[in-house]
Each structure stands twice: as C-alpha cells, then as structure tokens.
Amino acid sequence: LARQITSPGWYRERELGRLCRDHVFHSPNFFLPPSVDRGVITIHDLSVFKFPETHPAARHAQYDREFKRSLESAQHLIAVSEAIRVEIIEHFSWPADRVTAIPHGVSPDFAPWPDHALTPVLAAYRLRPRTYALCVSTLEPRKNIDRLLQAYQDLPAALRGQYRLVLAGSAGWLSKSLQLAIKNAEREGWLLYLGYVPD
C-alpha cells in the first residue's frame, strides 16, 4: 500500500494496466483510466453534451479529453434509465445492443412512512406530514431548481403557504444566483432550505 501511495502516477497507471490485462474494467462514472484497454462505463446523463451552459468550462475540457478516449476503450455502456439509453444511442451513434439500461438500486429505507413515524423527525424542521413539497438535489444549473422556484412563486400565495417548498442538498457549481433566489424565497416564508441532509 505504501508503495502505491508514494509511487509516481505513471507507475500507478502501468500497474493498473497490468492488473487489468485480460479483465474488463467497470467505471461507475463516465471515465476509464488511460491504461485500461477494455471496459464498461456507466453513464448517468448527457447534460454536459446537451446543455453545456449548465456546466463549468473545466468540465467541458475534461469530457472532450477523457470521455471520448474512454469510449474508444469501452466494450459496453450502461445507462441508468431507458431514456438515457436512447439518448446515448442517438447522440454517440452507438449500437443498441451495446447499451443496457440498469436503473439505480434503491434502499428499502426510502419508502412511504406512516405519519406517526414522520412527525418527530419533521418537527425538528418545523414541518408536519403532508404539508410540504420536497426536492432533494444538488444546487446547480442542470437541475433546473431556478424553474422550480419560479413555478412555486407563480402559485397562489395561499397554496404556497399551505404547502411549503423544502429543498435539501448541497450547493454545487454555478449556484450563486440560485442561492440568492433561495434566500429571497425563505424571507417570503414559502421555502425552507435545509442544505445537506444525511439519509
């Protein structure tokens, strides 16, 4: 382990390539290491390609450089939904038989709970069961939180007051203007921003 930590990057890449020889490497997030010549990639969305304005410039450069190279070594692609599978096939002209949709697994903890179990947890946030709309998302342009805020703002005031909007999630890239809009909505009383919330 000490040798792996202190060895230079070229050595680690060479060793990874040696270890992966005659094996298929799975990358759970877009990119294969340069030393891997056969792999499977999981693709979560194509927003960096379809909506480049919602990503930082450095991310474009990374995808231009690393994702195209990764595709050249990929034997198969995994999409997280059938909709993304279709987008991948169309956008990259990939053979349909080399793209498989495998939805994310969901813990059984994420299931409807009875009101009596929710009440004490929600009380800490000054909420009650069935009196709010929840959005869990990182705050970044590709998530369209700004449109959600605008749609909620357009609701009748009485409805907004009866069902507050609750946002849970950390701040992401390019989110300064969104954070200002969140603060304004909090001042108006119809939005509650919790930031990061553990499971």
Side-chain angles (χ1 to χ4, degrees):
L1 180 61
R3 182 189 298 175
Q4 290 177 353
I5 293 172
T6 58
S7 60
W10 65 265
Y11 178 82
R12 291 194 303 271
E13 281 294 326
R14 188 185 75 186
E15 282 300 290
L16 179 62
R18 184 182 65 77
L19 292 170
C20 289
R21 198 172 298 129
D22 300 324
H23 297 286
V24 176
F25 185 99
H26 173 235
S27 169
N29 197 24
F30 289 96
F31 306 116
L32 290 170
S35 56
V36 170
D37 59 3
R38 292 192 309 152
V40 175
I41 304 172
T42 295
I43 299 175
H44 300 271
D45 66 67
L46 299 186
S47 64
V48 72
F49 303 104
K50 296 179 68 179
F51 308 103
E53 70 280 3
T54 65
H55 292 266
R59 177 160 291 207
H60 297 286
Q62 178 189 24
Y63 275 74
D64 283 344
R65 185 178 62 250
E66 296 180 32
F67 187 62
K68 290 176 182 175
R69 177 195 48 75
S70 294
L71 283 178
E72 291 171 3
S73 299
Q75 307 295 300
H76 201 86
L77 304 179
I78 296 173
V80 299
S81 70
E82 185 59 33
I84 299 299
R85 178 181 178 273
V86 170
E87 287 186 359
I88 290 168
I89 292 166
E90 292 175 354
H91 189 84
F92 296 110
S93 300
W94 261 70
D97 63 345
R98 290 178 60 198
V99 187
T100 303
I102 304 175
H104 290 302
V106 179
S107 165
D109 292 339
F110 296 100
W113 286 30
D115 287 357
H116 70 271
L118 291 173
T119 299
V121 177
L122 293 176
Y125 301 105
R126 300 183 317 273
L127 295 170
R128 292 176 292 109
R130 306 180 196 288
T131 63
Y132 62 93
L134 174 65
C135 173
V136 180
S137 171
T138 306
L139 303 183
E140 51 195 43
R142 67 187 179 133
K143 304 293 186 172
N144 275 332
I145 305 299
D146 55 339
R147 291 195 181 179
L148 172 63
L149 295 184
Q150 186 58 58
Y152 229 82
Q153 178 72 55
D154 291 344
L155 292 172
L159 192 58
R160 284 199 316 266
Q162 185 178 357
Y163 298 99
R164 293 171 71 194
L165 177 60
V166 179
L167 293 179
S170 301
W173 61 78
L174 305 174
S175 65
K176 285 185 181 178
S177 62
L178 181 56
Q179 290 178 41
L180 288 174
I182 288 170
K183 286 178 182 173
N184 288 337
E186 284 185 305
R187 275 194 294 271
E188 293 174 10
W190 54 268
L191 183 140
L192 175 62
Y193 176 53
L194 303 178
Y196 172 78
V197 178
D199 288 351

